[in-house]
Amino acid sequence: PSVLDSFALLSGQLNTLNKVLKHEKTPLLRNQVIIPLVLSPDRDEEIMRQTEGRVPVFSHEVVPDHLRTKPDPEVEEQEKQLITDAARISPDVAQKQIQSLNKMCSNLLEKISKEERESESGGLRQNKQTFNPADTNALVAAVAFGKGLSNRRPPGSGGSVQSGQAGAGAIIAGASGMQQVPMSAAPAQQQPMLAGVQMAQAGQPGK
């Protein structure tokens, strides 16, 4: 009920205003000139509130733009020229031009939407992860520090695994933070290489 009462009140006020404006004794508003009474370069909070923050000051610089009722003379000339050119075109030619323009706009919109879809799908493909970080970390820890590797020795040999070259063995031992134990003085017959690592003979101490 309160909304209906407010609406009825507003409707009555608008009807009264329309009657006043349409009265023959009421001068046309287009013939009235608005002149500023107060111009100030200082910030006006009331104008800021009324214009929702768009006009902070009402000075000599902004008054000609905000109180302008006609476009610039150059814009008026261009508008007149466009109106004259439009009046010369027949309705059939105008309809054909409208259809051609609509077709061009439709094709352009389709291309833009297609490129957007392709870019979104390409971004999804690029952002898709192709590896498992947990597996990678486990492999790095196993190679660098021997984490998770079994301590059992291969069957038929009492020794442990040693590197194929002494220099490489020292680097690997240093990287893993372990101390390298010197091998026995008796040179042993080399075992077949398997993935760059050779097996020690039985009886040789491990690292």
Side-chain angles (χ1 to χ4, degrees):
S2 61
V3 175
L4 292 177
D5 294 340
S6 301
F7 181 78
L9 179 62
L10 289 175
S11 178
Q13 292 178 351
L14 288 175
N15 289 330
T16 304
L17 182 60
N18 285 330
K19 289 180 181 179
V20 172
L21 293 176
K22 291 179 180 179
H23 196 271
E24 58 183 7
K25 293 184 180 181
T26 303
L28 295 177
L29 293 179
R30 68 182 64 180
N31 296 332
Q32 303 298 317
V33 178
I34 300 176
I35 55 176
L37 298 179
V38 178
L39 295 179
S40 173
D42 299 330
R43 182 185 180 92
D44 193 338
E45 297 297 334
E46 183 65 20
I47 293 179
M48 281 281 292
R49 184 183 62 80
Q50 292 180 356
T51 59
E52 298 179 355
R54 293 187 297 271
V55 183
V57 295
F58 201 63
S59 62
H60 296 78
E61 182 179 359
V62 300
V63 162
D65 294 331
H66 290 289
L67 297 185
R68 183 189 301 274
T69 57
K70 295 177 64 177
D72 292 334
E74 296 83 1
V75 177
E76 278 190 332
E77 292 296 330
Q78 293 179 2
E79 188 175 357
K80 289 180 181 178
Q81 185 66 30
L82 291 174
I83 293 174
T84 305
D85 295 341
R88 295 175 183 173
I89 301 175
S90 62
D92 296 337
V93 176
Q95 189 65 28
K96 290 181 180 179
Q97 291 182 357
I98 291 173
Q99 292 177 358
S100 177
L101 180 61
N102 290 336
K103 185 177 181 181
M104 291 174 58
C105 293
S106 300
N107 294 336
L108 184 60
L109 289 174
E110 288 178 1
K111 289 182 179 180
I112 292 174
S113 60
K114 182 179 179 181
E115 290 181 359
E116 288 180 351
R117 289 193 301 268
E118 290 178 354
S119 62
E120 289 177 358
S121 61
L124 292 176
R125 285 196 300 268
Q126 291 179 359
N127 295 333
K128 187 177 181 180
Q129 200 169 14
T130 57
F131 65 95
N132 189 348
D135 293 345
T136 304
N137 294 333
L139 287 173
V140 171
V143 171
F145 308 108
K147 183 178 179 181
L149 297 180
S150 175
N151 293 327
R152 293 182 301 174
R153 300 185 179 184
S157 62
S160 63
V161 178
Q162 67 176 356
S163 63
Q165 297 179 358
I171 294 174
I172 294 175
S176 61
M178 300 178 66
Q179 185 179 1
Q180 186 175 5
V181 179
M183 312 305 284
S184 61
Q189 184 180 358
Q190 293 185 352
Q191 298 292 329
M193 297 289 292
L194 178 60
V197 180
Q198 66 175 356
M199 306 303 296
Q201 289 284 348
Q204 290 182 346
K207 297 181 184 177

